Every structure is written in C-alpha cells, then in structure tokens.
C-alpha cells in the first residue's frame, strides 16, 4: 500500500508500506516531495545515496501517516518509472 508520511522535521514522504509494529514502520522506495511556490511539485529519492531501498522509521519521528491520495500515487508512479 502506498502511504503518505509527514515526518516531525517537516519532510513529506511517499513510500510503499512494508510492515508496521508498535514502535516502527518499514517502508520501501521512499521519495521526498516538496512544493516550490513557482515551479510546483518536485521529488527526490529519500535514500539517494544508499544501497538499500527500504528503511525502518521510528513512530515517534512520524507526525502523520495515511494512505496516499490519487495525486500522490500518480506523482509517485511517474517518479519511480523514470
């Protein structure tokens, strides 16, 4: 399932949810999405410099977690297909 994560530090991530437990969430292929006031949306791989493609995030570092909406899903699919 594709999810939207708002981190406590302000990062907006879109990623595939792999698993979740009491203290953490594991996601795969996370991308960070930002909104530029002039140029609109832009994204970058959140793990650009890593050989891994999944990461475990502590729930205490997550402000919000929810299913990605249609716009986020389209944006994610376009980004990943490049």
């Amino acid at each position: 399932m594709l999810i939207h994560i708002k981190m406590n530090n302000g990062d907006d991530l879109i990623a595939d949810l792999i698993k979740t437990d009491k203290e953490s969430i594991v996601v795969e292929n996370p991308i960070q999405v930002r909104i530029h006031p002039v140029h609109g949306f832009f994204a970058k791989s959140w793990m650009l410099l890593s050989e891994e493609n999944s990461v475990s995030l502590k729930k205490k570092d997550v402000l919000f977690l929810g299913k990605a909406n249609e716009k986020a899903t389209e944006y994610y699919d376009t980004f990943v297909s490049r």
Side-chain angles (χ1 to χ4, degrees):
M1 173 172 71
L2 198 62
I3 59 170
H4 167 236
I5 304 165
K6 180 70 153 187
M7 302 293 291
N8 286 336
N9 68 1
D11 286 353
D12 278 299
L13 306 177
I14 304 171
D16 282 314
L17 177 64
I18 303 302
K19 73 176 187 172
T20 184
D21 61 34
K22 185 178 176 182
E23 295 184 11
S24 65
I25 2 171
V26 178
V27 295
E28 189 173 65
N29 299 320
I31 65 168
Q32 180 181 11
V33 179
R34 292 193 178 174
I35 301 172
H36 187 277
V38 175
H39 303 291
F41 285 102
F42 70 94
K44 66 179 182 176
S45 172
W46 201 57
M47 299 180 68
L48 181 65
L49 303 175
S50 175
E51 290 185 5
E52 303 298 321
N53 65 349
S54 64
V55 64
S56 177
L57 304 171
K58 294 179 182 174
K59 284 188 174 177
K60 68 178 183 112
D61 296 327
V62 174
L63 181 66
F64 170 83
L65 170 83
K67 186 176 179 186
N69 65 23
E70 187 176 322
K71 184 172 192 153
T73 301
E74 289 174 13
Y75 198 73
Y76 183 85
D77 291 342
T78 300
F79 181 84
V80 171
S81 69
R82 286 193 232 164

